[in-house]
């Protein structure tokens, strides 16, 4: 059910004694089979608000592999909203069946509107939104990636009382909504470290708009060339991690973050005795799509 089970478990990731630190992973990927991880958190209060205001339709934006699109489609189906996905790239029109994320969303009943990459850049302007209203009628608008005030309120529920024992909270960063919620629910004595999945951006500014405390930092060396870019080293890290700890990691977000955390541990970034909590923000639905891309390039695949 939506809006139930909201405390995910912290799984210990056993490191060799010499590492000198303890590492746990908060399994937010386990919250819901399709509305996974932080996308559940970000949608929760938006859906409650949409219901309260009597909306029947949700409209949102995303790319063809977007976890957010999959989550909105699944959540809409579950609680009885019509869903519309405005998708970047008009070359995808009629090719949903070739794409795991879009076929899933379609099965959930999502209706698509494909727009060119150029038009996609103007997606938030009033005239464009008005044209969407003319086309689809009244809808509750959820921004791309799902970040708004209500999304951050949802992400403020990720940490609980038991998590105050950690010195560091580490998470992947896309739009910065999730880390903002984590900062707001962390203790001032905790450090929140964000690992951007994108190369260069205005993230600092965006996070500062929402964050109520200064106990955070972005660590930008682990984006692997940019959003959704991956290499053999990352794929083998993810595969090794899964075989050692029985935890699947997505290649766009949590895989890069955990790669970064392991690298920092190796470089003694964390003082001896530190307790570190990584947040598994989910995103596992994207593995199939990524594997199709890897296969077409003749590269090794992510184990599923
Ligand atoms: C969307 C997403 C993120 C990024 O979250 P933001 O709130 O946009 O920073 C991180 N991890 C996963 C798995 C995601 O799907």
């Amino acid at each position: 059910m939506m809006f139930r089970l909201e405390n995910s478990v912290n799984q210990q990731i056993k490191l060799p004694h010499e590492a000198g630190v303890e590492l746990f992973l908060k399994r937010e990927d386990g919250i819901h089979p399709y509305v996974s991880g932080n996308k559940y958190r970000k949608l929760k209060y938006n859906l409650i608000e949409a219901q309260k205001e009597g909306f029947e339709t949700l409209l949102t934006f995303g790319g063809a592999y977007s976890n957010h699109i999959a989550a909105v489609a699944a959540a809409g189906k579950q609680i009885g909203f019509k869903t519309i996905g405005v998708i970047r790239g008009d070359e995808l029109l009629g090719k949903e069946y070739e794409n795991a994320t879009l076929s899933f969303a379609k099965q959930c009943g999502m209706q698509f509107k494909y727009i060119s990459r150029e038009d996609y850049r103007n997606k938030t302007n009033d005239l464009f939104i008005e044209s969407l209203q003319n086309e689809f009628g009244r809808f509750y608008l959820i921004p791309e990636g799902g970040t708004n005030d209500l999304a951050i309120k949802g992400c403020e529920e990720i940490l609980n009382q038991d998590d105050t024992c950690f010195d560091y909270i580490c998470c992947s960063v896309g739009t910065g909504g999730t880390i903002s919620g984590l900062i707001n629910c962390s203790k001032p004595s905790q450090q929140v470290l964000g690992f951007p999945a994108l190369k260069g951006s205005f993230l600092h500014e965006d996070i500062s708009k929402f964050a109520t405390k200064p106990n955070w930092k972005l660590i930008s060396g682990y984006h692997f060339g940019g959003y959704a870019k991956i290499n053999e080293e990352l794929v083998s890290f993810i595969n090794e991690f899964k075989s050692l700890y029985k935890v699947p990691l997505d290649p766009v977000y949590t895989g890069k973050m955990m790669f970064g955390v392991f690298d920092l541990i190796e470089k003694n970034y964390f003082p001896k005795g530190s307790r570190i909590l990584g947040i598994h923000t989910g995103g596992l639905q994207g593995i199939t799509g990524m594997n199709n891309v890897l296969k077409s390039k003749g590269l090794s695949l992510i184990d599923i």
Side-chain angles (χ1 to χ4, degrees):
M1 263 311 278
M2 205 71 192
F3 312 141
R4 221 186 30 174
L5 198 138
E6 293 196 22
N7 265 333
S8 44
V9 294
N10 293 342
Q11 175 176 345
Q12 183 162 21
I13 303 299
K14 283 247 186 251
L15 300 170
H17 182 68
E18 315 83 80
V21 299
E22 275 185 67
L23 176 63
F24 286 75
L25 193 54
K26 187 179 278 295
R27 298 294 305 273
E28 291 276 295
D29 56 312
I31 286 188
H32 186 282
Y34 302 111
V35 192
S36 106
N38 66 342
K39 297 304 184 281
Y40 176 97
R41 302 287 183 184
K42 295 172 90 170
L43 281 173
K44 177 180 169 185
Y45 288 106
N46 277 292
L47 299 182
I48 290 172
E49 183 63 23
Q51 281 176 328
K52 204 157 72 187
E53 292 180 30
F55 284 94
E56 290 173 359
T57 305
L58 307 171
L59 182 142
T60 196
F61 306 94
Y65 299 95
S66 162
N67 296 328
H68 171 67
I69 287 289
V72 170
K77 180 182 176 193
Q78 189 163 335
I79 58 176
F81 282 105
K82 261 182 67 182
T83 54
I84 297 159
V86 180
I87 309 293
R88 181 180 65 232
D90 45 11
E91 74 280 3
L92 293 158
L93 180 64
K95 293 191 181 161
E96 290 100 9
Y97 59 89
E98 291 175 18
N99 176 290
T101 302
L102 296 180
S103 353
F104 169 75
K106 195 181 167 117
Q107 274 170 32
C108 294
M110 184 175 259
Q111 189 183 339
F112 301 119
K113 179 182 175 67
Y114 295 97
I115 61 176
S116 68
R117 279 147 213 281
E118 203 179 350
D119 289 344
Y120 196 82
R121 265 176 239 127
N122 302 320
K123 65 186 175 302
T124 52
N125 92 27
D126 292 345
L127 271 179
F128 182 62
I129 301 293
E130 216 172 285
S131 79
L132 290 172
Q133 275 158 346
N134 291 337
E135 189 172 347
F136 297 107
R138 186 171 181 260
F139 55 74
Y140 184 88
L141 184 97
I142 303 175
E144 181 186 39
T147 293
N148 58 15
D149 290 333
L150 290 174
I152 287 160
K153 180 176 169 184
C155 292
E156 290 171 359
E157 295 177 349
I158 297 176
L159 297 179
N160 59 52
Q161 270 308 314
D162 296 341
D163 301 326
T164 53
C165 66
F166 291 102
D167 304 298
Y168 292 91
I169 312 292
C170 300
C171 75
S172 172
V173 179
T175 61
T178 305
I179 192 174
S180 299
L182 285 167
I183 294 163
N184 296 351
C185 66
S186 66
K187 298 283 166 213
S189 58
Q190 296 178 309
Q191 270 273 346
V192 183
L193 302 181
F195 294 74
L198 300 86
K199 201 162 62 174
S201 71
F202 301 106
L203 272 178
H204 244 281
E205 245 169 82
D206 292 343
I207 297 168
S208 305
K209 262 190 269 171
F210 291 115
T212 54
K213 281 202 279 301
N215 59 337
W216 59 279
K217 200 190 278 180
L218 293 180
I219 297 191
S220 12
Y222 300 101
H223 55 65
F224 286 80
Y227 186 73
K229 297 231 162 56
I230 66 172
N231 65 17
E232 296 271 341
E233 195 183 13
L234 183 63
V235 172
S236 41
F237 173 79
I238 289 171
N239 288 342
E240 219 168 291
F241 195 90
K242 177 151 187 240
S243 89
L244 270 175
Y245 304 112
K246 312 290 172 243
V247 181
L249 300 174
D250 90 294
V252 180
Y253 295 104
T254 307
K256 292 182 180 180
M257 183 272 289
M258 282 313 280
F259 184 99
V261 169
F262 269 56
D263 196 46
L264 292 180
I265 290 173
E266 202 159 293
K267 292 178 172 153
N268 294 314
Y269 175 91
F270 302 101
K272 290 279 173 236
S274 295
R275 291 173 63 97
I276 306 161
L277 179 65
I279 310 295
H280 193 318
T281 40
L284 302 174
Q285 71 84 30
I287 292 178
T288 313
M290 183 62 84
N291 271 344
N292 287 336
V293 174
L294 290 170
K295 202 189 300 176
S296 73
K297 294 181 180 166
L299 299 171
S300 23
L301 306 187
I302 299 162
D303 298 335
I304 33 178

